[in-house]
Amino acid sequence: MEGAGDDGSGLGGGGDAGDALPVAVATLLHPAAVMAYEEGLKAALNAGADARRRSKEAKEKAFEDALSRLALYCRGAEALEAGSDASTATAVLRHVTKTTGGECMDLIYRWAWIEYLPEDEMPAEGSPVSAADAKKVAKASPRDVAEALAAAADALASQEAGSVSDAVERAALGVGLRLRGKRDKAHTHETPKAKEVKAAVAELRTRLSLQLQAEAEPASCRAQAEPAAALALALPLLFARATGCALSAPGKAMAGVLAFVRAGGSVPEPELAVFEAFHAGVVDALKGGNGGDDLVARLPELRAAAAGTLGSSGGEGGEGGQEAGGV
């Protein structure tokens, strides 16, 4: 009777069969579910890795551009030093290490941040990496990377024109940036050939000329134009014509740079006179005087003096010829 009761109740063999069905279904589906999960996880990880790789490559490209400008500006500071203008050279080099050198360091730190810290916590683009952020990156990095970061900062602090860019480049390689033609950390920077330097300076001159053109065009010559900004663009063009070197100078060094160019004797007197008068007007305007009242109207003249076409009847074509055969 017990056996019959068990058979009829469905609580014996029937119950086991009911429990076995979900187990069988789960067993059947489990491998496919695991595979789908693993593939989804792999895709997510790969997408994240690809995004990180692209971000690092973008930082490397930007760093190479900044490093190139740093090296060129340091050569300009060396030219000033060679001309026995130590005070102007020091002011220029201090400005270069703070601006372009700081740009290089910011990119190195951002590259290391992507490598060793969550990228979404990185300071926003356009705002510099703070000292606290730099310490955070160094702390999260391997020891050799942290040492390379410190070496780059020390190189900028040393402010030695002949070694700053080389030291920053070696530090970047030590951190792990992959730079074109620099395949290992022990690689030392090769002195660029004169032809390469000439081409790089010519490229910078082209950029500056276009910016100055936009500032000095008749359509832009209005009250809100900034003569001081135009002078900051024009002076490096004059310096490049006189020396074949690039320049990035603070306002307080401009008088010294003009004196250096005048001493070199390679720039015609009328062009120097335009620059010196324009600089004097900018200084007076910044002090609150009225010496800068006519500076906006004189922007086209400044542009012509920078290009070496002052008094030329060749117009834009003459300036283009000067740029092509310049540095």
Side-chain angles (χ1 to χ4, degrees):
M1 295 292 292
E2 292 179 0
D6 288 342
D7 291 339
S9 67
L11 298 176
D16 292 340
D19 292 337
L21 181 59
V23 172
V25 172
T27 302
L28 182 65
L29 296 179
H30 182 262
V34 170
M35 182 180 296
Y37 170 78
E38 291 177 345
E39 289 178 352
L41 180 60
K42 183 178 180 180
L45 292 174
N46 287 342
D50 286 344
R52 289 175 58 249
R53 176 181 56 77
R54 288 193 297 269
S55 294
K56 291 197 297 182
E57 287 176 351
K59 296 294 181 288
E60 289 165 349
K61 184 176 180 180
F63 174 81
E64 287 181 339
D65 178 72
L67 180 67
S68 174
R69 285 183 280 111
L70 177 64
L72 292 173
Y73 294 150
C74 285
R75 288 174 67 89
E78 286 184 283
L80 289 168
E81 285 180 341
S84 301
D85 193 352
S87 60
T88 300
T90 298
V92 166
L93 187 57
R94 186 180 297 115
H95 174 76
V96 168
T97 55
K98 182 178 180 180
T99 54
T100 311
E103 181 183 351
C104 288
M105 281 302 304
D106 190 85
L107 289 164
I108 293 175
Y109 276 119
R110 288 179 183 278
W111 188 98
W113 192 300
I114 296 169
E115 182 72 8
Y116 302 110
L117 289 167
E119 188 175 356
D120 58 0
E121 297 178 6
M122 186 166 60
E125 297 291 343
S127 59
V129 173
S130 67
D133 289 329
K135 289 181 179 179
K136 183 176 181 179
V137 173
K139 186 176 181 180
S141 304
R143 182 176 178 178
D144 60 334
V145 171
E147 290 174 350
L149 290 169
D154 290 342
L156 291 176
S158 71
Q159 295 185 359
E160 296 180 4
S163 62
V164 167
S165 62
D166 289 355
V168 170
E169 180 182 319
R170 286 194 296 271
L173 293 168
V175 170
L177 277 73
R178 296 175 61 85
L179 309 180
R180 289 173 293 182
K182 311 295 188 292
R183 300 184 182 278
D184 59 82
K185 296 179 181 180
H187 186 97
T188 55
H189 183 70
E190 297 177 358
T191 302
K193 298 178 181 179
K195 186 176 181 180
E196 295 173 349
V197 173
K198 183 177 180 179
V201 174
E203 183 180 352
L204 275 176
R205 289 182 65 188
T206 299
R207 292 187 199 178
L208 290 169
S209 295
L210 291 173
Q211 290 175 289
L212 182 59
Q213 178 180 349
E215 192 74 34
E217 280 179 341
S220 300
C221 293
R222 49 187 182 274
Q224 58 265 41
E226 297 184 9
L231 182 61
L233 294 169
L235 186 59
L237 290 170
L238 182 74
F239 186 81
R241 283 178 50 215
T243 66
C245 296
L247 175 75
S248 176
K252 64 181 180 181
M254 287 184 176
V257 172
L258 284 171
F260 172 84
V261 171
R262 175 174 283 283
S266 62
V267 176
E269 174 63 29
E271 294 173 6
L272 280 171
V274 168
F275 267 89
E276 289 168 347
F278 199 94
H279 175 257
V282 168
V283 171
D284 188 62
L286 291 175
K287 291 180 178 179
N290 57 9
D293 288 350
D294 65 339
L295 290 178
V296 171
R298 291 162 55 191
L299 284 173
E301 183 183 42
L302 178 71
R303 178 190 171 200
T309 59
L310 189 65
S312 170
S313 60
E316 293 298 316
E319 183 173 342
Q322 178 68 28
E323 286 299 315
V327 180

